[in-house]
Amino acid sequence: MTTHASMDDPRVTLDEQLGSFEPIPPYPPRTEREHEFYTVADGEMLVNIGPHHPSTHGVLRVVMKLDGERVVDIDPVLGYLHRGVEKLCENADFHHTISYMDPLEYVSSLFCEWPAVMAYEKLLDIKVPRRAEYIRVLTGELNRISSHLLAMGFHALDLGGITPILYSFIERDEMVEMLASITGQRMLFNYFRIGGVNGDLNHEFMSRLGDWMGRATAQVEANQGLLNENEVFVRRNRGVGTIDSQTALKMCWTGPNLRATGVPFDIRRAHPYSVYPELDFDIPTRSEGDSLARYLLRIDEIKQSLRIIDQCLHQMPDGPVMAQVPRLMRPRPGRAFATVEGPRGQYSIYAVSDGTDQPFRFRIHDPSFLHLQSFTLLMPGQLLADWMTINASLDPIMGGIDK
Amino acid sequence: MTVMSRAWGRLTLPGKVIFTAIPLLLALGVALALVVGILGGPIVELASQYGAVLRFLVAATIILVITIPTAFLIIFMEMKIIAFMNLRVGPDRVGPWGTLLSVVHGLKVLMKEDFTPSRADPLIFTLAPVVVYGSSVMTLVVLPFAPGLFAQDFNIGLLYFFAMGGLAVVGLLMAGWSSFNKYSLLGGLRSAAQMVSYEIPLTLSVAGLLLLAGTMSVNQLVANQSGWFTNWYVFQQPLGFLIFFIAVTAEANRTPFDLTEADSEIVAGFATEYSGMRFGFFFFAEYVNVFIVSAMTVALFFGGWNAPFPFPALAILLDPGSLGIWLLLGIAIVPLVGTLVLSLPFLLTRSAMPAWQAIVLGFVLFNVAVVGLLGVWAFVSFDWVAGLLWFLAKTYVFVFTFVWMRATLPRVRIDQLMGFAWKWLMPAALLNLFVTAGAILVVGR
């Protein structure tokens, strides 16, 4: 049995060997890269940030090799939130897997459900009613806005500004309440179904949405004025974590992070799905590719999302919100791949069916994982405090990365 | 009683000592006051021989004691004001409007375990908070709160202020080094780099002011600014004031220069491994520092205890002895009449209110009126009361500014911080000194 000894306890004589505080690495190096990283030169030190740290957006652990304040090398360590979601899904029937999707990226749950139901609909040859598609787009864009607002608030919080996160949460809370009024949940919605959605729009949702849409644009702009015109904030972000479009494409970046380097790649336009071809919206891009561009691009995306919501409300057809689907689903043997554009990039599901009521293989593709691996490119040569900027601007969510 | 004894059992040794010492000191103070009051004459005779020493001891004790409520007040202000700026409610449970929450924080810190990490250097680890807190309290010695209300007036008072302020960096370095923690080490090194760099523009920014004033005694500097508010040095040294205020923000480790305890980067910086009252000392020192730098800004640039306009001297001297028998009658009758008169409106108009409630209300109003009148009388007839009020009012405007900045601004990066000090503040301070010297040569003082 282990007992805890304290220096303040006079009855305990401490063995000097007890508790050796050399936490890194906990194992002998397994690869050449690990050997290179954990060999510390003179004047360098390894600093462990996370898994419990205020600005790691979950339970990410990064080991930094520091020379003074300057980062020489960086090693992200994953797996602290691994739950084996893919394996869980392979042992659940098709309806069941949708609720496993929600906690993946817990701030944008609908975008994790969406590719899963799209993949199953392809396997089962189900035609989704148009009203259901419109409702999916409407709720999805609301979720995108709330996710972007959260990212922008935490961006400021990581740089030491304590107020913007609370201003962001005013808007986000309104949207979360809106979604809760049709889905019944504030964060893990479990709303999309194979062949439609769980419930039609109701009065509370519509009245809240109408109330909010009247002031949304002005409110979001007013809140962001605290940061966009803040010299300290802008200088902390400009030119930090710059990446060019070619490298970003090679590193498989997608979403706002890729568009901030000038590549107008958006799955809603490049590989259209749902009713996006019928909607009119732009794909905002920026050419700088630094943290400030990534931050500002999210504001532009919020404005486009507001446009889409407006059109959805005007074009929404009448009709059912669920297709006729069998209670017990046994799709034909085959495979399906579905992908959507989420607030962080490309979310995809690759599902293989062997004719039973459970997926034979279930593969989840998450954009944050690919953004996270670029730390090793972006960080060397930057300062310790820049890691918070870069991490916040890439906006990874650990739930999706560790799966 | 069991609650009390249980609470007592949970106190650490320093907590027990402090809790025992506070009532003892209070009793001692009351006894001293009584003795001085009764045996006034002979004791004053005796004290006058050791007058300077005695005065300094009393003043130092008072200063040490007032840091505690000052820190409590500023902590509460910070919690509440930032809450309002964030559109939150803030503390509202303990005491009226949550005013006692910071007191509860203080008690909580006393009750926590005073933990030392096993690999830490225990002696330096223990001494570091003492050095930090001591240095900030020692700067209070030269602050003139009101005419005649100061601990010690040095002819090099300003130099002493900078020297003692610079001592804090030693304590922060000690804390950072002895904690055996890499975050602490980074925080300590950051604080050393930051404070040493900002000492230079800080000292240079007041050099122009010293040329104008020709003295380094803070008391004399404040006295120079009497009369209309146009005499305040901020109107002659606007650039100097700006540089001083920025540099002093960095010296006090406040946002946007709070890199030493950047919570999103190095967790809590030098204070990461501290808990209990040792952490409390760091915490207190930070808020006492906010008060000190605000007070110094006011003393140097905003006229200290001077009113913004020449205040008419209305010395209303009360001589109760001359009233004779009327004094006794007044004491007997005025409260009765006052209470009745003030309760009349309630008695006449509020038919639903019972008479006793109206009379109690009238009594409360009478007391408020008497205290208010006494306050006005003290303000008008005593220099130091008016001076203290002006001084505190101006100081808390700056305390509010610090809190406001904390709610608004993110944190700068370490290279931006150093670059700002060496590339902008120092040349600007030198320019300010140069222009001031030239102006004095041409125009005269």
Side-chain angles (χ1 to χ4, degrees):
Chain A
M1 200 185 104
T2 323
T3 51
H4 292 283
S6 163
M7 280 287 278
D8 291 340
D9 191 348
R11 291 163 303 179
V12 176
T13 48
L14 266 185
D15 182 6
E16 195 53 34
Q17 295 306 311
L18 185 81
S20 168
F21 295 117
E22 279 307 325
I24 323 162
Y27 41 74
R30 294 167 300 193
T31 58
E32 245 177 65
R33 160 74 184 147
E34 274 186 9
H35 178 71
E36 179 206 331
F37 183 81
Y38 288 110
T39 311
V40 182
D42 196 24
E44 294 175 348
M45 71 171 175
L46 293 170
V47 171
N48 202 16
I49 293 197
H52 298 287
H53 188 273
S55 59
T56 48
H57 290 225
V59 281
L60 169 65
R61 174 177 156 223
V62 268
V63 185
M64 285 192 205
K65 198 193 268 183
L66 290 185
D67 178 12
E69 286 267 341
R70 210 158 282 280
V71 178
V72 179
D73 208 344
I74 186 169
D75 183 25
V77 184
L78 306 180
Y80 288 93
L81 204 57
H82 181 61
R83 296 146 295 176
V85 174
E86 290 181 359
K87 197 66 197 167
L88 283 172
C89 290
E90 286 162 15
N91 290 296
D93 66 21
F94 288 99
H95 284 302
H96 231 129
T97 55
I98 302 170
S99 57
Y100 282 133
M101 295 293 101
D102 282 314
L104 282 178
E105 296 224 341
Y106 36 80
V107 298
S108 53
S109 307
L110 289 179
F111 292 97
C112 299
E113 297 172 18
W114 206 339
V117 293
M118 267 170 71
Y120 299 153
E121 282 152 10
K122 282 183 184 173
L123 279 176
L124 288 154
D125 279 330
I126 294 175
K127 180 100 178 69
V128 182
R130 275 173 53 77
R131 186 174 173 83
E133 290 284 17
Y134 269 103
I135 292 175
R136 282 183 185 179
V137 171
L138 174 62
T139 50
E141 295 300 327
L142 272 177
N143 202 350
R144 188 193 307 277
I145 296 175
S146 70
S147 167
H148 278 347
L149 282 175
L150 190 86
M152 283 146 61
F154 274 114
H155 194 156
L157 189 69
D158 284 354
L159 303 189
I162 49 178
T163 305
I165 178 74
L166 287 139
Y167 286 2
S168 286
F169 260 83
I170 297 169
E171 300 308 302
R172 185 184 144 79
D173 227 45
E174 186 59 40
M175 268 170 285
V176 160
E177 288 290 333
M178 246 182 253
L179 290 172
S181 65
I182 47 172
T183 64
Q185 272 280 359
R186 286 169 57 90
M187 268 179 87
L188 311 176
F189 305 113
N190 195 12
Y191 180 54
F192 291 178
R193 290 287 181 274
I194 303 168
V197 291
N198 190 20
D200 206 346
L201 304 180
N202 57 23
H203 178 74
E204 189 190 347
F205 176 80
M206 292 309 281
S207 69
R208 273 181 182 274
L209 183 63
D211 194 30
W212 180 74
M213 282 295 281
R215 59 185 162 84
T217 318
Q219 198 90 346
V220 168
E221 276 179 8
N223 292 349
Q224 299 311 319
L226 192 60
L227 293 177
N228 296 352
E229 292 153 28
N230 191 328
E231 190 67 19
V232 178
F233 181 80
V234 172
R235 275 178 188 252
R236 280 289 303 270
N237 281 291
R238 189 179 285 146
V240 172
T242 314
I243 191 166
D244 62 306
S245 55
Q246 288 310 310
T247 321
L249 283 171
K250 274 183 201 155
M251 296 302 287
C252 302
W253 281 25
T254 45
N257 295 346
L258 177 65
R259 291 194 284 276
T261 64
V263 183
F265 176 74
D266 188 325
I267 293 166
R268 290 175 289 183
R269 282 281 184 254
H271 304 283
Y273 57 94
S274 195
V275 289
Y276 280 113
E278 299 167 23
L279 299 168
D280 178 32
F281 62 97
D282 302 327
I283 303 171
T285 55
R286 280 177 184 266
S287 54
E288 299 91 355
D290 57 359
S291 296
L292 187 65
R294 292 195 277 273
Y295 164 79
L296 291 172
L297 195 87
R298 293 204 163 87
I299 302 180
D300 299 342
E301 286 213 345
I302 288 177
K303 288 173 189 158
Q304 295 304 322
S305 290
L306 288 171
R307 265 178 81 188
I308 295 175
I309 292 172
D310 213 31
Q311 293 170 48
C312 278
L313 289 173
H314 280 97
Q315 300 175 11
M316 180 87 63
D318 278 337
V321 293
M322 270 296 282
Q324 292 290 328
V325 288
R327 173 103 7 140
L328 182 65
M329 287 180 181
R330 290 176 195 262
R332 58 183 165 71
R335 44 183 119 176
F337 176 78
T339 177
V340 299
E341 175 75 23
R344 283 169 196 77
Q346 181 185 15
Y347 294 66
S348 322
I349 298 288
Y350 178 63
V352 181
S353 157
D354 59 352
T356 60
D357 57 349
Q358 293 170 344
F360 172 72
R361 176 76 179 98
F362 194 80
R363 174 87 180 92
I364 303 165
H365 169 96
D366 191 275
S368 301
F369 183 80
L370 299 166
H371 297 151
L372 197 78
Q373 70 181 358
S374 317
F375 274 158
T376 338
L377 270 180
L378 298 178
M379 273 312 293
Q382 303 277 13
L383 292 166
L384 170 65
D386 285 335
W387 182 75
M388 284 73 206
T389 317
I390 292 173
N391 184 37
S393 70
L394 290 181
D395 189 23
I397 298 289
M398 291 312 291
I401 293 169
D402 284 344
K403 296 201 249 301
Chain B
M1 279 322 282
T2 49
V3 177
M4 290 295 287
S5 64
R6 207 175 299 155
W8 181 256
R10 289 178 62 170
L11 283 178
T12 54
L13 188 63
K16 279 176 182 158
V17 171
I18 291 173
F19 267 103
T20 325
I22 289 172
L24 278 181
L25 280 177
L26 276 179
L28 199 69
V30 171
L32 256 178
L34 282 177
V35 168
V36 171
I38 295 164
L39 309 167
I43 284 181
V44 169
E45 285 280 316
L46 201 69
S48 62
Q49 292 172 13
Y50 305 99
V53 178
L54 200 70
R55 187 182 179 287
F56 180 74
L57 281 180
V58 170
T61 315
I62 293 174
I63 278 175
L64 209 57
V65 171
I66 61 163
T67 52
I68 295 165
T70 305
F72 280 156
L73 178 62
I74 298 178
I75 291 169
F76 173 71
M77 271 177 72
E78 178 152 284
M79 288 190 289
K80 203 71 178 173
I81 292 172
I82 290 185
F84 282 148
M85 286 178 176
N86 288 350
L87 308 180
R88 290 184 286 125
V89 176
D92 68 338
R93 296 286 137 164
V94 194
W97 303 290
T99 37
L100 293 180
L101 184 60
S102 45
V103 180
V104 174
H105 273 316
L107 293 181
K108 174 197 76 181
V109 175
L110 277 177
M111 299 212 180
K112 279 190 168 182
E113 187 190 352
D114 217 3
F115 186 78
T116 312
S118 59
R119 286 286 192 91
D121 189 331
L123 180 66
I124 300 181
F125 189 79
T126 314
L127 278 181
V130 179
V131 173
V132 172
Y133 191 65
S135 78
S136 68
V137 171
M138 264 145 81
T139 34
L140 268 173
V141 167
V142 287
L143 272 185
F145 289 89
L149 205 66
F150 53 87
Q152 194 65 289
D153 183 21
F154 296 126
N155 53 358
I156 50 156
L158 208 51
L159 216 54
Y160 172 86
F161 172 75
F162 291 140
M164 286 298 137
L167 202 62
V169 71
V170 180
L172 299 185
L173 258 183
M174 282 162 70
W177 183 79
S178 66
S179 296
F180 196 73
N181 181 317
K182 285 165 183 171
Y183 295 135
S184 302
L185 185 63
L186 278 173
L189 292 178
R190 277 183 178 190
S191 77
Q194 171 180 340
M195 291 179 112
V196 169
S197 303
Y198 274 82
E199 285 281 316
I200 297 163
L202 178 67
T203 321
L204 281 177
S205 67
V206 292
L209 187 147
L210 295 182
L211 284 186
L212 279 177
T215 174
M216 271 186 139
S217 150
V218 187
N219 258 309
Q220 194 55 47
L221 281 169
V222 172
N224 282 357
Q225 304 176 59
S226 60
W228 285 92
F229 64 89
T230 42
N231 287 351
W232 293 355
Y233 281 129
V234 67
F235 294 108
Q236 295 166 47
Q237 292 278 312
L239 185 60
F241 161 67
L242 271 182
I243 298 166
F244 182 83
F245 191 67
I246 294 170
V248 114
T249 313
E251 285 284 303
N253 288 330
R254 294 289 298 179
T255 319
F257 303 117
D258 61 340
L259 284 109
T260 53
E261 49 205 284
D263 54 338
S264 61
E265 294 158 25
I266 48 174
V267 189
F270 58 86
T272 307
E273 293 287 356
Y274 281 88
S275 66
M277 199 53 215
R278 287 184 216 160
F279 174 76
F281 273 125
F282 281 128
F283 199 63
F284 266 37
E286 185 187 334
Y287 288 97
V288 174
N289 268 335
V290 171
F291 176 80
I292 290 170
V293 296
S294 311
M296 211 56 189
T297 315
V298 166
L300 293 184
F301 292 99
F302 286 87
W305 35 257
N306 286 307
F309 45 85
F311 211 74
L314 296 169
I316 306 169
L317 288 178
L318 291 188
D319 186 7
S322 68
L323 291 172
I325 190 68
W326 292 108
L327 179 68
L328 284 179
L329 281 178
I331 289 173
I333 290 167
V334 167
L336 281 178
V337 175
T339 304
L340 276 179
V341 166
L342 285 173
S343 60
L344 262 187
F346 302 103
L347 283 172
L348 295 181
T349 58
R350 299 294 176 91
S351 54
M353 185 185 273
W356 66 269
Q357 269 188 19
I359 287 171
V360 166
L361 216 55
F363 185 66
V364 169
L365 281 181
F366 173 74
N367 279 301
V368 170
V370 166
V371 170
L373 279 177
L374 272 178
V376 171
W377 171 72
F379 186 82
V380 168
S381 43
F382 293 113
D383 261 359
W384 67 269
V385 175
L388 189 64
L389 281 178
W390 281 118
F391 179 77
L392 288 181
K394 289 182 204 169
T395 302
Y396 276 95
V397 169
F398 280 93
V399 171
F400 173 79
T401 314
F402 279 117
V403 174
W404 186 11
M405 273 166 31
R406 170 128 193 224
T408 315
L409 292 175
R411 189 178 301 124
V412 299
R413 219 190 312 149
I414 183 83
D415 61 329
Q416 292 167 346
L417 176 94
M418 304 300 273
F420 190 56
W422 293 100
K423 289 184 205 156
W424 294 97
L425 286 187
M426 209 174 84
L430 284 173
L431 179 77
N432 181 47
L433 178 59
F434 182 73
V435 171
T436 313
I440 288 173
L441 263 187
V442 176
V443 188
R445 277 200 178 120

